[in-house]
Amino acid sequence: MRSEVSTKNAEGYRDPTAAGAIKQIERKNTMQAYEGEIWKVENARGGENEVLLLKCFENYAAVLRLTDTKPEENSVEIRSHSLKWSDCGKVGYSFYNTLCSFVRELSSAEMMTVRGRVAYALGFCLMQTKAEPGKDEMEKEPKQAAAEVVKQVPAQVQSGSENEEMTKLRIDLAATEAERNVYKGLCEKLLSRAAE
């Protein structure tokens, strides 16, 4: 547990500059952030917002900002201390030195759902990619296999035959089944090698 940094100097006067510098040094030395975690971050006005780390890089992370109100489009429900929402089309970034406190880590299923919705909101699932020649389904990464299945869902959405919630459930199910199939294939391969 981190100790609280006093915002007052030795004479008892408020000194936010020194307190901020000490906090940043403390954060740099003690905090490690990973993908799929929710953190409170310091905003430019001195307040705090919650963000979900989508992808971590050397000096910053790609994030989704969490709000208390449901956005009009591209919404995803995320459980933090309470129910939060995010617009998957509004991916931002946050430097590690603005991270204040860890909130919770999303499960792999929750993170898979968020990634699928972000890909859909940004139009990545509509892009066609060429399969690598000579590779079969079992050699693919689980997340890659799930992303390929998610690509097939937008045609149903465009036809207007399903409501938004049903479509989200279908995307989640398809991604989960694809990931399961890849892991199943990898386990079978491993068992066959062990039996040799």
Side-chain angles (χ1 to χ4, degrees):
M1 179 172 231
R2 279 188 330 162
S3 61
E4 283 297 314
V5 175
S6 174
T7 58
K8 296 184 178 182
N9 63 17
E11 289 82 30
Y13 293 103
R14 191 170 180 277
D15 190 359
T17 306
I22 292 169
K23 279 184 184 178
Q24 285 196 13
I25 291 168
E26 226 180 49
R27 281 186 204 130
K28 213 173 209 178
N29 293 336
T30 61
M31 290 191 184
Q32 291 262 334
Y34 300 98
E35 296 171 18
E37 293 180 343
I38 297 174
W39 283 79
K40 286 188 178 183
V41 296
E42 203 173 297
N43 63 29
R45 295 178 302 247
E48 290 182 349
N49 296 326
E50 288 185 11
V51 296
L52 169 63
L53 305 182
L54 294 174
K55 179 75 177 165
C56 293
F57 301 98
E58 189 173 334
N59 297 315
Y60 67 97
V63 300
L64 283 178
R65 192 169 77 83
L66 307 181
T67 62
D68 294 323
T69 57
K70 183 177 180 180
E72 293 181 21
E73 57 184 348
N74 303 318
S75 65
V76 64
E77 181 181 304
I78 298 171
R79 299 230 176 256
S80 178
H81 286 303
S82 61
L83 179 65
K84 299 283 187 173
W85 297 91
S86 185
D87 183 338
C88 292
K90 294 182 178 177
V91 176
Y93 68 92
S94 184
F95 291 102
Y96 295 126
N97 64 357
T98 63
L99 298 179
C100 296
S101 61
F102 173 79
V103 176
R104 76 173 279 256
E105 182 177 1
L106 268 60
S107 69
S108 58
E110 289 173 310
M111 198 57 192
M112 183 77 126
T113 300
V114 171
R115 283 189 176 130
R117 300 243 174 93
V118 168
Y120 179 74
L122 298 177
F124 294 141
C125 52
L126 299 175
M127 296 178 182
Q128 297 295 324
T129 58
K130 292 184 178 179
E132 294 181 38
K135 285 205 171 193
D136 66 351
E137 186 69 22
M138 297 309 141
E139 292 179 13
K140 294 179 184 174
E141 292 264 344
K143 289 180 180 26
Q144 179 186 358
E148 288 178 12
V149 171
V150 171
K151 285 182 206 175
Q152 301 165 5
V153 178
Q156 296 170 342
V157 177
Q158 292 171 354
S159 69
S161 62
E162 297 180 345
N163 65 25
E164 183 181 342
E165 186 61 31
M166 190 62 155
T167 301
K168 289 176 184 176
L169 291 172
R170 287 186 183 277
I171 290 172
D172 294 345
L173 178 63
T176 304
E177 286 176 347
E179 187 174 8
R180 179 209 58 206
N181 291 340
V182 170
Y183 280 121
K184 179 182 173 187
L186 292 172
C187 287
E188 288 172 353
K189 257 186 169 178
L190 185 61
L191 288 172
S192 68
R193 286 183 186 164
E196 291 176 352

